[in-house]
Amino acid sequence: MSSTALDTAALKQQFPLLQREINGTRLVYLDSANTSQKPAVVIDTMTNFLRNSYAPINRSAYQLAAEATDAYEGARTKVQQFINARRAHEVVFTKNATEALNLVAHSWGRANLQAGDVVVLTHMEHHANIVPWHMLVAERGIVLRWVPLTADGQLDLTTLAQLLDGAKVFSFTAMSNVLGTITPVQQLCAAAHAAGALAIVDGCQYVPHNVTDVQAWGADFMAFSSHKMCGPSGVGVLYGREALLEAMPPFLGGGNMIADVRLDGFTTAELPAKFEAGTPPITEVVGLGAAVDFLIGLGMANVRQHEIEVAGYALRTLTSRFGDDITLHGPTDTSVRGATFSLAFRGIHPHDLSQVLDQTNVCVRAGHHCAKPLMRLMGVAATARASFYLYNDTDDVDALADALDGASAIFGF
Amino acid sequence: MSSTALDTAALKQQFPLLQREINGTRLVYLDSANTSQKPAVVIDTMTNFLRNSYAPINRSAYQLAAEATDAYEGARTKVQQFINARRAHEVVFTKNATEALNLVAHSWGRANLQAGDVVVLTHMEHHANIVPWHMLVAERGIVLRWVPLTADGQLDLTTLAQLLDGAKVFSFTAMSNVLGTITPVQQLCAAAHAAGALAIVDGCQYVPHNVTDVQAWGADFMAFSSHKMCGPSGVGVLYGREALLEAMPPFLGGGNMIADVRLDGFTTAELPAKFEAGTPPITEVVGLGAAVDFLIGLGMANVRQHEIEVAGYALRTLTSRFGDDITLHGPTDTSVRGATFSLAFRGIHPHDLSQVLDQTNVCVRAGHHCAKPLMRLMGVAATARASFYLYNDTDDVDALADALDGASAIFGF
Amino acid sequence: MAGLEDLYREIILDHHRNPRNRGELPPPAPHAVGHNPLCGDEIEVYLQVEDGRVTDIKVGGQGCSISQSSASMMSQAIKGKPVADVQALVRRFKGMMSIPDADGNEIEPDPEVKLGDLEALQGVVKYPVRIKCAILGWNTLLEALEQV
Amino acid sequence: MAGLEDLYREIILDHHRNPRNRGELPPPAPHAVGHNPLCGDEIEVYLQVEDGRVTDIKVGGQGCSISQSSASMMSQAIKGKPVADVQALVRRFKGMMSIPDADGNEIEPDPEVKLGDLEALQGVVKYPVRIKCAILGWNTLLEALEQV
Ligand SMILES: Cc1ncc(COP(=O)(O)O)c(C=O)c1O
Ligand SMILES: Cc1ncc(COP(=O)(O)O)c(C=O)c1O
């Protein structure tokens, strides 16, 4: 069933992979927090580009190359508008969000952080927003502090002011990929700035699902990945405030990021080229542009509204059907959560659960979801995670519930 | 006209973009040293993957994800065989060759190079094999030495032993992207090793055009890019000897590259995951696998033979038609050069030349080709560069020559 | 549910519910911990080796039905065996799991080495992601043996 | 060759072949160097400013016909002009080249400011890659003016 906000029946038709049947059963893809499927318009844009317009960008004067450059830079402008950045060159294309976060930790971090400097993270961060900082702990002796969680999986902000006191950086996720929790980004950015710290937002799980406005947030940096928002793999985005990007040393060295290279040194190019060394993911950036158009066409407010409805339906359905046999981690209030659910079910190990659900083509991920510190705090080694996106609907929730029933049968309940 | 080694007439049919006509004239694409066009089989593989098989790799237990993982890891094995690496996990997927070279300079370099340590480069390196080392000069105080060139654009090896004396690294290109020069890779690796230095090969311009055997070369590291070898943009390869990769610290931190993450630190995953942080270019790696199959189908020895013939025809044709009015940089002996030609023509600025050739859809690049130190040594700010690939033939050489005649008309000769 | 019987054979589920040789041995017993970073599974193996024979083994850790039952069945199969026979069994088991040897070659099944109940795990091969679960205990065992 | 007449107008080729105001001015003349990293073009601008008026200008450097002729025509156009008029001309020229102002808005053509011969460069707009060539001299001029 469709929600009031999106016509999912029609939407599903636009995703070729969701038409796939395995052993005669339709695919129920509930792993979009991991990576999303792609609408035909994105696939076709890439295919057409490869067939008719593929060419190098930036460096050649002929028309084909000029067209390709326009397509590439046009996608940058689309992304700029999508996240409401002030300038197009505040949008840097990376290979994924992980590279984007590493870029900040490496370039801004090594230029600005000394031994003893404090970086504040939260207990619900993805490894991509932990390990780059751990590397600076090892190399530079910076100090990490952690914002703890409340019992229902929200950030516990009661001690935030103390944690931020004297901190140089506050880097946090806008939405947890494990708990589904949406954090109060604008408030957190303000708190960071009040303490004189930089606000870095991991937008991986937020940008695909909600209206994003980096200026309203007041974010200094923000990272996200194309592949989670209906776009191709192989491209991520780093948003950075112009003044910060200007002042930072470059990250990767090579072609495109230089103004001049001599035998004895080099000077860097202007933004955004300065941070885009080498041949970029040309076709993939063009595909991301098509994904942004697709999402704008749906309206991100509608996407969010739809997911609120699906999340609410999932909470009600799974709780009423399985009661205490199911644990749904994270907040129960849909106004502070997305449609991503980590769950525990009747003591069945997540890996077994995922495998059994797969027999009815219900695809959920089992594992630590690249958030091992959070897993340890939750006291589990792994969870099964069902994550819903714009193409999922209440039928998919029902399919999940039915598949859970089937799992009980095998493991003998 | 086709060469004896490849049936280019049939080959051209397999590249959709080469069918494109602009203003009724066929496209003569002579910018493959920059980035190559893609055969239908690569485009179709990617499209089919996106429509039917796209899924996360490595982390999920369901069948769709297992299939995608097989496709991704299968491509790794193809690449391994293509370059004759000993083990599949010696093949690390990066975003491009530039990232691959930065990875080596950053991870191996920072772990092994101290102030005063010598890194030897050559005067014909691409910025991607210069700037990462310049960064280590600035940060670490390493010292660069440069192998000079002979008058005909080959490496001048007369002082190589002195240059390598006491060096820690010798990093050099297997083929110049400006001059077309092919370097004696095996001999250079042996010289590096004899001096106790590591041999790093920039294979960007070689791997797409020739039989590659990293074991026969004795290379310690080798970098190349998918997009120059009929594969998609957004993926590059770092080959590294197992023992070296094992001993190196990681580069980017995040998901997939860890064995464990705690609040107080992390441990790294096994090879190759250790160097593949975050979600990789999944579709692009699968596309690269298809490109490798395509090239193996043609036979790399045939590709090389074909390009020798085209290069020979180009040298003869351009010299006989334009005599002293044209300068073709680089060696004239086709046994030590590929089919990439930097040229100067009747004092017309390369940028103007490229623009005028484009009027007849002859696409050549004008610029410094990311090799500014070489340009300065050549005494030019820029050159026009025509680079031929497996789908180019002697007709394309003639089209270039005709277009050059047309350029003379405009600029008044 | 069609297809899964091959994976979740009754004997596997039994070992999963009632793991054998569960526990620890006090130091200085050879001891190793194995992780599967993909799913968070963890297995601990404690050994007692006397006169070239595994006289006792204890298994700890937590994980999915396949990793736990495989380790449990392994502990039963090797207890009391000479180390050489244990090595041969590991090799035989990895061969069944389609794991190549160190040189990347397929392992030929040695008819001398009997798998017994372990044959029940054969169905795992059809689920490549689970192979890592099935061999986790075995690799941990090898690590523990290296300390002997 | 069809299409290119718009770009390579005779007056442009003339300035390319015979660049005006070529040379240098001795220090402490305001002086700036501009690079186009894409094509390696380089332009140097030397100024002499007296009583708010550009009394002399010299242009050095090397590059393609568009960058060189644009700088040459620019030097003719501004020599002798008050600095305020020069600034207005730069703005007008950038507007013709479709370069937005600092806030990213389109520059409306000011009818008071006459382009004269510079109108010949209008054809460049159709070739976005060349716009950077055409404005290289003008950006370098702005940099030199900042030193006044
Ligand atoms: C010799 C050489 N090295 C390195 C590179 C960098 O490759 P990429 O831009 O794909 O990273 C190139 C191509 O641009 C090249 O020609
Ligand atoms: C919250 C969060 N941050 C960062 C990442 C890393 O993104 P990527 O793997 O695309 O680099 C992910 C997804 O894996 C995520 O969910």
Short mmCIF file of all heavy atoms in Angstrom, two decimals, chain A residues 347 349 351-353 355-356 359-360 366-368 372 381-382 403 406-407 410-412, chain C residues 1-4 7-8 13 17 37-41 62-65 127 129-130 133:
data_model
loop_
_atom_site.label_atom_id
_atom_site.label_comp_id
_atom_site.label_asym_id
_atom_site.label_seq_id
_atom_site.Cartn_x
_atom_site.Cartn_y
_atom_site.Cartn_z
N GLY A 347 15.82 -14.63 19.96
CA GLY A 347 17.12 -15.27 20.18
C GLY A 347 17.75 -15.86 18.93
O GLY A 347 18.79 -16.52 19.01
N HIS A 349 20.09 -15.81 15.94
CA HIS A 349 21.23 -14.98 15.60
C HIS A 349 20.94 -14.20 14.31
O HIS A 349 20.40 -14.75 13.37
CB HIS A 349 22.47 -15.87 15.42
CG HIS A 349 23.73 -15.09 15.27
ND1 HIS A 349 24.14 -14.55 14.08
CD2 HIS A 349 24.68 -14.73 16.18
CE1 HIS A 349 25.28 -13.92 14.24
NE2 HIS A 349 25.64 -14.01 15.52
N HIS A 351 22.57 -13.34 11.81
CA HIS A 351 23.07 -13.92 10.57
C HIS A 351 22.12 -15.02 10.09
O HIS A 351 21.81 -15.13 8.90
CB HIS A 351 24.47 -14.49 10.82
CG HIS A 351 25.38 -14.26 9.69
ND1 HIS A 351 26.75 -14.22 9.82
CD2 HIS A 351 25.14 -14.06 8.38
CE1 HIS A 351 27.29 -14.02 8.64
NE2 HIS A 351 26.35 -13.90 7.75
N ASP A 352 21.67 -15.83 11.04
CA ASP A 352 20.70 -16.87 10.68
C ASP A 352 19.38 -16.24 10.23
O ASP A 352 18.77 -16.67 9.26
CB ASP A 352 20.46 -17.79 11.88
CG ASP A 352 21.67 -18.65 12.21
OD1 ASP A 352 22.28 -19.19 11.26
OD2 ASP A 352 22.02 -18.76 13.39
N LEU A 353 19.00 -15.20 10.94
CA LEU A 353 17.73 -14.56 10.62
C LEU A 353 17.76 -14.01 9.19
O LEU A 353 16.85 -14.22 8.39
CB LEU A 353 17.49 -13.43 11.63
CG LEU A 353 16.08 -12.86 11.67
CD1 LEU A 353 15.06 -13.94 12.03
CD2 LEU A 353 16.01 -11.72 12.70
N GLN A 355 19.60 -14.91 6.76
CA GLN A 355 19.62 -16.00 5.79
C GLN A 355 18.22 -16.60 5.59
O GLN A 355 17.81 -16.88 4.47
CB GLN A 355 20.56 -17.09 6.29
CG GLN A 355 20.68 -18.28 5.36
CD GLN A 355 22.01 -18.27 4.67
OE1 GLN A 355 23.04 -18.14 5.31
NE2 GLN A 355 21.99 -18.40 3.37
N VAL A 356 17.51 -16.76 6.68
CA VAL A 356 16.18 -17.37 6.57
C VAL A 356 15.20 -16.41 5.89
O VAL A 356 14.43 -16.80 5.03
CB VAL A 356 15.67 -17.78 7.97
CG1 VAL A 356 14.24 -18.29 7.87
CG2 VAL A 356 16.58 -18.84 8.56
N GLN A 359 15.19 -16.49 2.20
CA GLN A 359 14.47 -17.55 1.49
C GLN A 359 13.17 -17.05 0.89
O GLN A 359 12.67 -17.59 -0.08
CB GLN A 359 14.17 -18.72 2.44
CG GLN A 359 15.37 -19.55 2.78
CD GLN A 359 16.11 -20.04 1.55
OE1 GLN A 359 17.22 -19.61 1.29
NE2 GLN A 359 15.50 -20.92 0.77
N THR A 360 12.60 -16.02 1.50
CA THR A 360 11.40 -15.42 0.90
C THR A 360 11.75 -14.08 0.26
O THR A 360 10.90 -13.21 0.11
CB THR A 360 10.29 -15.23 1.96
OG1 THR A 360 10.85 -14.53 3.06
CG2 THR A 360 9.76 -16.57 2.43
N ALA A 366 22.63 -8.32 8.25
CA ALA A 366 22.98 -8.78 9.59
C ALA A 366 24.43 -8.41 9.84
O ALA A 366 25.27 -8.57 8.96
CB ALA A 366 22.84 -10.29 9.68
N GLY A 367 24.72 -7.91 11.03
CA GLY A 367 26.11 -7.59 11.32
C GLY A 367 26.23 -6.47 12.31
O GLY A 367 25.29 -6.15 13.03
N HIS A 368 27.42 -5.86 12.32
CA HIS A 368 27.65 -4.77 13.27
C HIS A 368 27.42 -3.42 12.61
O HIS A 368 27.56 -2.39 13.25
CB HIS A 368 29.04 -4.87 13.87
CG HIS A 368 30.14 -4.94 12.84
ND1 HIS A 368 30.39 -3.93 11.95
CD2 HIS A 368 31.03 -5.92 12.55
CE1 HIS A 368 31.40 -4.27 11.17
NE2 HIS A 368 31.80 -5.47 11.50
N LYS A 372 30.75 -0.76 15.62
CA LYS A 372 31.07 -1.71 16.69
C LYS A 372 31.03 -1.09 18.08
O LYS A 372 30.53 -1.73 19.02
CB LYS A 372 32.43 -2.38 16.42
CG LYS A 372 32.36 -3.36 15.25
CD LYS A 372 33.55 -4.30 15.21
CE LYS A 372 33.19 -5.62 15.86
NZ LYS A 372 34.26 -6.64 15.72
N ALA A 381 26.61 -8.49 19.60
CA ALA A 381 27.70 -8.56 18.63
C ALA A 381 27.19 -8.13 17.26
O ALA A 381 27.94 -7.66 16.42
CB ALA A 381 28.26 -9.97 18.55
N ALA A 382 25.90 -8.30 17.06
CA ALA A 382 25.32 -8.00 15.75
C ALA A 382 23.82 -7.81 15.91
O ALA A 382 23.23 -8.23 16.90
CB ALA A 382 25.62 -9.14 14.78
N ALA A 403 7.84 -13.13 6.96
CA ALA A 403 9.11 -13.85 6.89
C ALA A 403 9.63 -14.15 8.29
O ALA A 403 10.22 -15.22 8.53
CB ALA A 403 10.13 -13.05 6.09
N GLY A 406 8.06 -17.21 9.48
CA GLY A 406 8.69 -18.38 8.87
C GLY A 406 9.98 -18.77 9.57
O GLY A 406 10.29 -19.95 9.72
N ALA A 407 10.73 -17.75 10.01
CA ALA A 407 11.99 -18.03 10.68
C ALA A 407 11.75 -18.78 11.99
O ALA A 407 12.50 -19.69 12.36
CB ALA A 407 12.75 -16.73 10.95
N ILE A 410 11.53 -22.57 11.46
CA ILE A 410 12.78 -23.32 11.31
C ILE A 410 13.49 -23.49 12.63
O ILE A 410 13.98 -24.57 12.96
CB ILE A 410 13.74 -22.59 10.35
CG1 ILE A 410 13.22 -22.70 8.93
CG2 ILE A 410 15.14 -23.18 10.48
CD1 ILE A 410 14.28 -22.54 7.89
N PHE A 411 13.57 -22.42 13.40
CA PHE A 411 14.34 -22.51 14.63
C PHE A 411 13.51 -23.04 15.79
O PHE A 411 13.92 -22.99 16.93
CB PHE A 411 15.03 -21.18 14.93
CG PHE A 411 16.20 -20.96 14.03
CD1 PHE A 411 16.06 -20.28 12.83
CD2 PHE A 411 17.43 -21.49 14.35
CE1 PHE A 411 17.12 -20.12 11.98
CE2 PHE A 411 18.51 -21.33 13.51
CZ PHE A 411 18.36 -20.65 12.31
N GLY A 412 12.30 -23.51 15.43
CA GLY A 412 11.57 -24.32 16.39
C GLY A 412 10.83 -23.58 17.47
O GLY A 412 10.88 -23.98 18.63
N MET C 1 10.70 -24.22 5.01
CA MET C 1 11.02 -23.28 3.93
C MET C 1 11.97 -23.95 2.94
O MET C 1 13.02 -24.46 3.33
CB MET C 1 11.70 -22.05 4.55
CG MET C 1 10.94 -20.78 4.26
SD MET C 1 11.66 -19.46 5.23
CE MET C 1 10.39 -19.28 6.48
N ALA C 2 11.58 -23.95 1.69
CA ALA C 2 12.33 -24.70 0.68
C ALA C 2 13.78 -24.27 0.62
O ALA C 2 14.09 -23.09 0.65
CB ALA C 2 11.67 -24.51 -0.69
N GLY C 3 14.69 -25.25 0.49
CA GLY C 3 16.09 -24.93 0.24
C GLY C 3 16.95 -24.86 1.48
O GLY C 3 18.14 -25.16 1.43
N LEU C 4 16.37 -24.45 2.59
CA LEU C 4 17.20 -24.23 3.77
C LEU C 4 17.50 -25.49 4.56
O LEU C 4 18.38 -25.47 5.42
CB LEU C 4 16.53 -23.20 4.68
CG LEU C 4 16.82 -21.74 4.35
CD1 LEU C 4 16.31 -20.86 5.47
CD2 LEU C 4 18.31 -21.51 4.14
N LEU C 7 21.01 -26.43 4.75
CA LEU C 7 21.88 -25.63 5.61
C LEU C 7 21.61 -25.96 7.07
O LEU C 7 22.53 -26.30 7.82
CB LEU C 7 21.61 -24.15 5.35
CG LEU C 7 22.52 -23.16 6.08
CD1 LEU C 7 23.97 -23.35 5.65
CD2 LEU C 7 22.08 -21.73 5.76
N TYR C 8 20.36 -25.87 7.44
CA TYR C 8 20.02 -26.05 8.84
C TYR C 8 19.59 -27.48 9.13
O TYR C 8 18.44 -27.73 9.51
CB TYR C 8 18.93 -25.04 9.25
CG TYR C 8 19.40 -23.62 9.19
CD1 TYR C 8 18.81 -22.68 8.35
CD2 TYR C 8 20.49 -23.20 9.96
CE1 TYR C 8 19.25 -21.37 8.29
CE2 TYR C 8 20.95 -21.89 9.90
CZ TYR C 8 20.33 -20.98 9.07
OH TYR C 8 20.78 -19.69 9.02
N LEU C 13 21.34 -27.78 14.18
CA LEU C 13 20.53 -27.04 15.13
C LEU C 13 20.71 -27.60 16.54
O LEU C 13 20.72 -26.87 17.52
CB LEU C 13 19.06 -27.06 14.71
CG LEU C 13 18.77 -26.29 13.40
CD1 LEU C 13 17.32 -26.48 12.96
CD2 LEU C 13 19.08 -24.80 13.55
N ARG C 17 21.93 -25.52 19.75
CA ARG C 17 21.17 -25.36 21.01
C ARG C 17 21.95 -25.91 22.19
O ARG C 17 21.90 -25.37 23.29
CB ARG C 17 19.83 -26.11 20.90
CG ARG C 17 18.89 -25.44 19.90
CD ARG C 17 17.45 -25.94 20.04
NE ARG C 17 16.73 -25.65 18.79
CZ ARG C 17 16.51 -26.52 17.83
NH1 ARG C 17 16.89 -27.78 17.96
NH2 ARG C 17 15.87 -26.17 16.73
N PRO C 37 34.88 -10.49 11.26
CA PRO C 37 34.53 -9.06 11.32
C PRO C 37 33.22 -8.76 10.61
O PRO C 37 32.56 -7.78 10.91
CB PRO C 37 35.71 -8.35 10.64
CG PRO C 37 36.47 -9.40 9.92
CD PRO C 37 36.16 -10.72 10.56
N LEU C 38 32.82 -9.61 9.68
CA LEU C 38 31.60 -9.32 8.93
C LEU C 38 30.37 -9.42 9.81
O LEU C 38 29.46 -8.61 9.72
CB LEU C 38 31.46 -10.28 7.74
CG LEU C 38 32.51 -10.13 6.66
CD1 LEU C 38 32.16 -10.97 5.46
CD2 LEU C 38 32.65 -8.67 6.24
N CYS C 39 30.30 -10.46 10.64
CA CYS C 39 29.06 -10.64 11.39
C CYS C 39 29.26 -10.53 12.89
O CYS C 39 28.32 -10.68 13.65
CB CYS C 39 28.42 -11.98 11.06
SG CYS C 39 29.52 -13.36 11.34
N GLY C 40 30.51 -10.26 13.31
CA GLY C 40 30.73 -10.08 14.74
C GLY C 40 30.87 -11.38 15.51
O GLY C 40 30.98 -11.36 16.73
N ASP C 41 30.86 -12.50 14.82
CA ASP C 41 31.01 -13.77 15.53
C ASP C 41 32.40 -13.87 16.16
O ASP C 41 33.38 -13.35 15.64
CB ASP C 41 30.84 -14.95 14.57
CG ASP C 41 29.37 -15.19 14.27
OD1 ASP C 41 28.54 -14.37 14.70
OD2 ASP C 41 29.07 -16.19 13.61
N GLN C 62 30.58 -16.60 20.91
CA GLN C 62 29.17 -16.49 20.56
C GLN C 62 29.05 -16.21 19.07
O GLN C 62 29.94 -15.64 18.46
CB GLN C 62 28.53 -15.35 21.33
CG GLN C 62 29.30 -14.05 21.17
CD GLN C 62 28.55 -12.86 21.75
OE1 GLN C 62 27.35 -12.93 21.96
NE2 GLN C 62 29.27 -11.78 22.00
N GLY C 63 27.92 -16.60 18.53
CA GLY C 63 27.76 -16.35 17.10
C GLY C 63 26.57 -17.08 16.54
O GLY C 63 25.70 -17.54 17.29
N CYS C 64 26.55 -17.21 15.25
CA CYS C 64 25.39 -17.78 14.58
C CYS C 64 25.38 -19.30 14.70
O CYS C 64 26.34 -19.92 15.16
CB CYS C 64 25.38 -17.36 13.12
SG CYS C 64 26.69 -18.13 12.16
N SER C 65 24.30 -19.90 14.28
CA SER C 65 24.15 -21.35 14.40
C SER C 65 25.27 -22.08 13.68
O SER C 65 25.76 -23.10 14.17
CB SER C 65 22.80 -21.78 13.82
OG SER C 65 22.73 -21.40 12.46
N TYR C 127 26.23 -21.60 0.34
CA TYR C 127 26.02 -20.24 0.84
C TYR C 127 27.37 -19.62 1.18
O TYR C 127 27.81 -19.62 2.33
CB TYR C 127 25.12 -20.27 2.09
CG TYR C 127 23.78 -20.88 1.81
CD1 TYR C 127 23.57 -22.26 1.91
CD2 TYR C 127 22.71 -20.08 1.40
CE1 TYR C 127 22.34 -22.82 1.62
CE2 TYR C 127 21.47 -20.63 1.11
CZ TYR C 127 21.30 -22.00 1.22
OH TYR C 127 20.07 -22.55 0.92
N VAL C 129 28.69 -16.91 1.82
CA VAL C 129 28.89 -16.00 2.96
C VAL C 129 29.02 -16.77 4.27
O VAL C 129 29.68 -16.33 5.20
CB VAL C 129 27.70 -15.03 3.08
CG1 VAL C 129 28.03 -13.89 4.03
CG2 VAL C 129 27.29 -14.48 1.73
N ARG C 130 28.39 -17.93 4.33
CA ARG C 130 28.40 -18.69 5.58
C ARG C 130 29.64 -19.56 5.74
O ARG C 130 29.88 -20.10 6.82
CB ARG C 130 27.13 -19.56 5.70
CG ARG C 130 25.83 -18.79 5.53
CD ARG C 130 25.73 -17.59 6.45
NE ARG C 130 25.63 -17.89 7.86
CZ ARG C 130 24.49 -18.16 8.50
NH1 ARG C 130 23.36 -18.17 7.84
NH2 ARG C 130 24.49 -18.40 9.79
N CYS C 133 31.67 -18.50 8.43
CA CYS C 133 31.14 -18.87 9.75
C CYS C 133 31.59 -20.29 10.08
O CYS C 133 32.07 -20.56 11.18
CB CYS C 133 29.60 -18.83 9.75
SG CYS C 133 28.89 -17.29 9.12
#
